[in-house]
Amino acid sequence: MRNIYDYTLDELAQQFSPTYRAKQIYSWLYHRYIDDFDLMSNVSKELRTTLKESFSTQCVTILKIEHSIDGSKKYLFGTRDGHSYEAVLLQMREEQSGEKASEARYTICLSSQIGCRVGCAFCYTGKGGFVRNLSAGEIVAQVVHIKRDNGFAPQKGLNIVFMGMGEPLDNFDNVVRAITILSSKDGLSIAPRRQTISTSGIAPRIEQLGKLNLGVQLALSLHAVNDVLRSKLVPMNRSYNIREVLDVLRQFPFDSRKRLLFEYIMIKDVNDDLASAKELVRLLNGFKAKVNLILFNPHEGSSFARPNAESVRKFQEFLLSRGLLCLRKSLGLDISAACGQLREKNVRAQAQL
Ligand code: SAH
Ligand code: SF4
């Protein structure tokens, strides 16, 4: 059965002319979050029968929801073929969203793959290896489920970050398709500039993405300031080193109003010293950059530790003193960075049954 969330509006319009029919279906799916074709009351009975015969709205289900103390919610989703993946809903604090409290913004952290091939040394998802790519519909379904579960109005402002499980640029076509569907004005209408792809740095794919000129934001998971350490932490660096990745980033068509985001996961006694902060400032010279400092989130089987508050403060103060905008992620974002952990718990629990 084909997943209806895999299809762009144009594709549905090609199947169900005139075009307004596809728009009606899109409106039921993405404005009212209806997942039963029989409830699409302004769609003719014949068309509903055709829809039921050809498409499914149930390719993804919610398996579990976990509430964090800081108000973020973690969702575990199940696929038809028995796998699971997760997304996180975060409420941005006023100073993070840059908007008034009355317009509190939400961010949804999406997965793009089940597992990940990159295998970063600090990452729980990477440890579990790679299972498969998510389809565009499986990516989009995360947003639909979360909007429905929270009773969000269709026009509710949302940001999307591809910072959950997986390397989005390793699932290029499906992620690009998902962005197209998410941004459709007749559907979820999440502008591309509100969507950020976080990548470990697949240089040729960054180039390819830039050529598409979608208007999406990019975040680079830098994590280290020299190639020896970065190759250990982020094995992708062995294929595309720091200089190569920064070079392609310089060519990327950024929204000039926004800053390019660099993520830096601080690990105790590995990359949390002042010399690294200095080198970071040097490397990012010339970029309109913003650095997100993420504190390593400990997990079972990892020998890494969280840095102490004093070294984080010094690191951050140095960057700020050199004019580099630098944020500490909220607790919620720290928790979301540990994406993969809910799935892992679930997989282990199942294995014990
Ligand atoms: N694969 C992409 C996007 C998903 S990972 C990438 O690597 O950019 C999203 C973020 O979670 C990355 O910045 C990554 O560094 C962070 N992350 C992974 N494991 C973490 C952990 N144990 N503690 C804190 N952040 C972690
Ligand atoms: Fe994959 Fe990102 Fe985890 Fe690295 S940090 S293993 S690229 S999900």
Coordinates of all heavy atoms in Angstrom, one line a residue, residues 247-287:
D247 N 34.9 25.0 2.9 CA 35.0 25.5 1.5 C 33.6 25.4 0.8 O 33.2 26.4 0.2 CB 36.1 24.9 0.7 CG 37.4 25.4 1.0 OD1 37.5 26.5 1.8 OD2 38.4 24.9 0.6
V248 N 33.0 24.3 0.9 CA 31.7 24.2 0.2 C 30.6 25.0 1.0 O 29.7 25.6 0.3 CB 31.1 22.7 0.1 CG1 32.0 21.9 -0.8 CG2 30.8 22.0 1.3
L249 N 30.8 25.2 2.3 CA 29.8 26.0 3.0 C 29.9 27.5 2.6 O 28.9 28.2 2.5 CB 30.0 25.9 4.5 CG 29.6 24.6 5.2 CD1 29.8 24.7 6.7 CD2 28.1 24.4 5.0
R250 N 31.1 27.9 2.2 CA 31.2 29.3 1.8 C 30.4 29.6 0.5 O 30.0 30.7 0.2 CB 32.7 29.6 1.5 CG 33.4 30.0 2.8 CD 34.9 30.4 2.5 NE 35.8 29.4 3.1 CZ 36.2 29.5 4.4 NH1 35.7 30.5 5.1 NH2 37.0 28.6 4.9
Q251 N 30.2 28.5 -0.3 CA 29.5 28.7 -1.6 C 28.0 28.5 -1.4 O 27.2 28.7 -2.3 CB 29.9 27.6 -2.6 CG 31.4 27.5 -2.8 CD 32.0 28.9 -3.2 OE1 31.4 29.6 -4.0 NE2 33.2 29.2 -2.7
F252 N 27.5 28.0 -0.2 CA 26.1 27.7 0.0 C 25.2 28.9 0.0 O 25.6 29.9 0.6 CB 25.9 26.9 1.3 CG 24.6 26.2 1.4 CD1 24.4 24.9 0.9 CD2 23.5 26.8 2.1 CE1 23.2 24.3 1.0 CE2 22.3 26.2 2.2 CZ 22.1 24.9 1.6
P253 N 24.1 28.8 -0.7 CA 23.2 30.0 -0.8 C 22.4 30.2 0.5 O 21.3 29.8 0.6 CB 22.2 29.7 -2.0 CG 22.2 28.2 -2.0 CD 23.5 27.7 -1.5
F254 N 23.0 30.9 1.4 CA 22.3 31.2 2.7 C 21.4 32.3 2.6 O 21.6 33.3 1.9 CB 23.4 31.5 3.8 CG 24.2 30.3 4.2 CD1 25.5 30.2 3.8 CD2 23.6 29.2 4.8 CE1 26.2 29.1 4.1 CE2 24.3 28.1 5.1 CZ 25.6 28.0 4.8
D255 N 20.4 32.2 3.5 CA 19.5 33.4 3.7 C 20.4 34.4 4.4 O 20.8 34.2 5.6 CB 18.3 32.9 4.6 CG 17.3 34.0 4.9 OD1 17.7 35.2 4.7 OD2 16.2 33.7 5.2
S256 N 20.6 35.6 3.8 CA 21.6 36.5 4.4 C 21.1 37.1 5.7 O 21.9 37.7 6.4 CB 21.8 37.6 3.4 OG 20.6 38.2 3.0
R257 N 19.8 36.9 6.0 CA 19.3 37.4 7.3 C 19.7 36.5 8.4 O 19.6 36.8 9.6 CB 17.8 37.6 7.3 CG 17.3 38.7 6.4 CD 15.9 38.6 6.1 NE 15.6 37.4 5.3 CZ 14.4 37.0 4.9 NH1 13.3 37.7 5.3 NH2 14.2 35.9 4.3
K258 N 20.0 35.3 8.0 CA 20.3 34.3 9.1 C 21.8 34.0 9.2 O 22.5 34.3 8.3 CB 19.5 33.0 8.7 CG 18.0 33.2 8.6 CD 17.3 32.4 9.6 CE 15.8 32.6 9.5 NZ 15.0 31.7 10.3
R259 N 22.1 33.3 10.3 CA 23.5 32.9 10.5 C 23.6 31.5 10.2 O 22.7 30.7 10.5 CB 23.9 33.2 12.0 CG 24.1 34.7 12.2 CD 24.3 34.9 13.7 NE 24.4 36.4 13.9 CZ 25.6 37.0 13.9 NH1 26.7 36.3 13.8 NH2 25.6 38.3 14.0
L260 N 24.8 31.1 9.8 CA 25.1 29.7 9.6 C 25.4 29.1 10.9 O 26.2 29.6 11.7 CB 26.3 29.6 8.6 CG 26.9 28.2 8.4 CD1 25.8 27.3 7.9 CD2 27.9 28.3 7.3
L261 N 24.8 28.0 11.2 CA 24.9 27.3 12.5 C 26.0 26.3 12.5 O 26.0 25.4 11.6 CB 23.5 26.7 12.8 CG 23.3 26.1 14.2 CD1 23.4 27.2 15.2 CD2 22.0 25.4 14.3
F262 N 26.8 26.3 13.5 CA 27.8 25.3 13.7 C 27.5 24.7 15.1 O 27.4 25.4 16.1 CB 29.2 25.9 13.7 CG 29.7 26.4 12.4 CD1 29.4 27.7 12.0 CD2 30.3 25.6 11.5 CE1 29.7 28.2 10.7 CE2 30.7 26.0 10.2 CZ 30.4 27.3 9.9
E263 N 27.4 23.3 15.1 CA 27.2 22.7 16.3 C 28.5 22.1 16.9 O 29.4 21.6 16.1 CB 26.2 21.5 16.1 CG 24.8 22.1 15.8 CD 23.9 21.0 15.3 OE1 24.0 20.6 14.2 OE2 23.2 20.5 16.2
Y264 N 28.6 22.3 18.2 CA 29.9 21.8 18.8 C 29.5 21.1 20.1 O 29.0 21.7 21.0 CB 30.8 23.1 19.1 CG 32.2 22.8 19.5 CD1 33.2 22.7 18.5 CD2 32.5 22.5 20.8 CE1 34.5 22.5 18.9 CE2 33.8 22.2 21.2 CZ 34.8 22.2 20.2 OH 36.1 21.9 20.6
I265 N 29.7 19.8 20.1 CA 29.4 19.0 21.3 C 30.6 19.0 22.2 O 31.6 18.6 21.8 CB 28.9 17.6 20.9 CG1 28.6 16.8 22.1 CG2 29.8 16.9 19.9 CD1 28.0 15.5 21.7
M266 N 30.4 19.6 23.4 CA 31.5 19.7 24.3 C 31.6 18.4 25.1 O 30.7 17.9 25.8 CB 31.3 20.8 25.3 CG 31.4 22.2 24.5 SD 31.4 23.6 25.7 CE 33.1 23.4 26.4
I267 N 32.8 17.8 25.1 CA 33.1 16.6 25.8 C 34.3 16.8 26.7 O 35.3 17.4 26.3 CB 33.5 15.4 24.8 CG1 32.4 15.3 23.7 CG2 33.7 14.1 25.6 CD1 32.8 14.3 22.6
K268 N 34.1 16.4 28.0 CA 35.1 16.7 29.0 C 36.5 16.2 28.6 O 36.7 15.0 28.2 CB 34.7 16.0 30.3 CG 35.5 16.4 31.5 CD 34.9 15.7 32.7 CE 35.3 16.3 34.0 NZ 36.5 16.1 34.6
D269 N 37.5 17.1 28.7 CA 38.9 16.8 28.4 C 39.2 16.3 27.0 O 40.2 15.7 26.7 CB 39.4 15.8 29.4 CG 39.4 16.3 30.8 OD1 39.4 17.5 31.0 OD2 39.3 15.4 31.8
V270 N 38.2 16.4 26.1 CA 38.4 16.0 24.7 C 38.5 17.3 23.8 O 39.5 17.4 23.0 CB 37.3 15.1 24.2 CG1 37.4 14.8 22.7 CG2 37.4 13.8 25.0
N271 N 37.5 18.2 24.0 CA 37.5 19.4 23.1 C 37.0 20.6 23.8 O 36.4 21.5 23.2 CB 36.6 19.1 21.8 CG 35.2 18.8 22.2 OD1 34.8 18.8 23.4 ND2 34.4 18.6 21.2
D272 N 37.1 20.6 25.2 CA 36.4 21.7 25.9 C 37.4 22.7 26.5 O 37.1 23.5 27.4 CB 35.6 21.1 27.1 CG 36.4 20.3 28.1 OD1 37.6 19.9 27.7 OD2 36.0 20.0 29.2
D273 N 38.7 22.7 25.9 CA 39.7 23.6 26.4 C 39.7 24.9 25.7 O 39.1 25.0 24.6 CB 41.1 22.9 26.3 CG 41.3 22.5 24.9 OD1 40.4 21.9 24.2 OD2 42.4 22.8 24.3
L274 N 40.3 25.9 26.3 CA 40.3 27.2 25.7 C 41.1 27.3 24.4 O 40.7 28.1 23.5 CB 40.9 28.2 26.7 CG 40.3 29.6 26.8 CD1 38.8 29.5 26.9 CD2 40.9 30.4 27.9
A275 N 42.1 26.5 24.2 CA 42.8 26.5 22.9 C 41.9 26.1 21.8 O 42.0 26.6 20.7 CB 44.0 25.5 23.0
S276 N 41.0 25.2 22.1 CA 40.0 24.8 21.0 C 39.1 25.9 20.7 O 38.7 26.1 19.5 CB 39.2 23.6 21.5 OG 40.0 22.4 21.7
A277 N 38.7 26.7 21.7 CA 37.8 27.8 21.5 C 38.5 28.8 20.6 O 37.9 29.4 19.7 CB 37.4 28.4 22.8
K278 N 39.8 29.0 20.9 CA 40.5 30.0 20.1 C 40.6 29.6 18.6 O 40.4 30.3 17.7 CB 42.0 30.1 20.6 CG 42.0 31.0 21.9 CD 43.4 31.1 22.4 CE 43.3 31.8 23.8 NZ 44.5 31.7 24.6
E279 N 40.9 28.3 18.4 CA 41.0 27.7 17.1 C 39.6 27.8 16.4 O 39.6 28.0 15.1 CB 41.5 26.3 17.2 CG 41.8 25.6 15.8 CD 42.7 26.3 14.9 OE1 43.5 27.2 15.4 OE2 42.7 26.0 13.7
L280 N 38.6 27.6 17.1 CA 37.2 27.7 16.6 C 37.0 29.1 16.0 O 36.4 29.3 14.9 CB 36.2 27.3 17.6 CG 34.7 27.2 17.2 CD1 34.6 26.1 16.1 CD2 33.9 26.7 18.4
V281 N 37.3 30.1 16.8 CA 37.2 31.5 16.3 C 37.9 31.7 15.0 O 37.5 32.3 14.1 CB 37.6 32.5 17.4 CG1 37.7 33.9 16.9 CG2 36.7 32.4 18.6
R282 N 39.2 31.1 15.0 CA 40.0 31.3 13.8 C 39.3 30.7 12.6 O 39.2 31.2 11.5 CB 41.4 30.7 14.0 CG 42.5 31.3 13.2 CD 43.8 30.5 13.3 NE 43.6 29.1 12.9 CZ 43.6 28.7 11.6 NH1 43.7 29.6 10.6 NH2 43.4 27.4 11.3
L283 N 38.9 29.4 12.8 CA 38.3 28.7 11.7 C 37.0 29.3 11.1 O 36.8 29.3 9.9 CB 37.8 27.3 12.2 CG 38.8 26.1 12.2 CD1 38.1 24.9 12.7 CD2 39.4 25.9 10.7
L284 N 36.2 29.9 12.0 CA 35.0 30.5 11.5 C 35.1 31.9 11.1 O 34.1 32.5 10.7 CB 33.9 30.3 12.6 CG 33.6 28.9 13.1 CD1 32.4 28.8 14.0 CD2 33.4 27.9 11.9
N285 N 36.3 32.4 11.1 CA 36.5 33.8 10.7 C 36.0 33.9 9.2 O 36.3 33.1 8.4 CB 38.0 34.1 10.8 CG 38.3 35.5 10.4 OD1 37.5 36.4 10.5 ND2 39.5 35.7 9.9
G286 N 35.2 35.0 9.0 CA 34.7 35.2 7.6 C 33.2 34.6 7.4 O 32.6 35.0 6.5
F287 N 32.8 33.8 8.3 CA 31.4 33.3 8.3 C 30.5 34.1 9.1 O 30.9 34.6 10.2 CB 31.3 31.8 8.8 CG 31.8 30.8 7.9 CD1 33.0 30.2 8.1 CD2 31.0 30.4 6.9 CE1 33.5 29.2 7.2 CE2 31.4 29.4 6.0 CZ 32.6 28.8 6.2

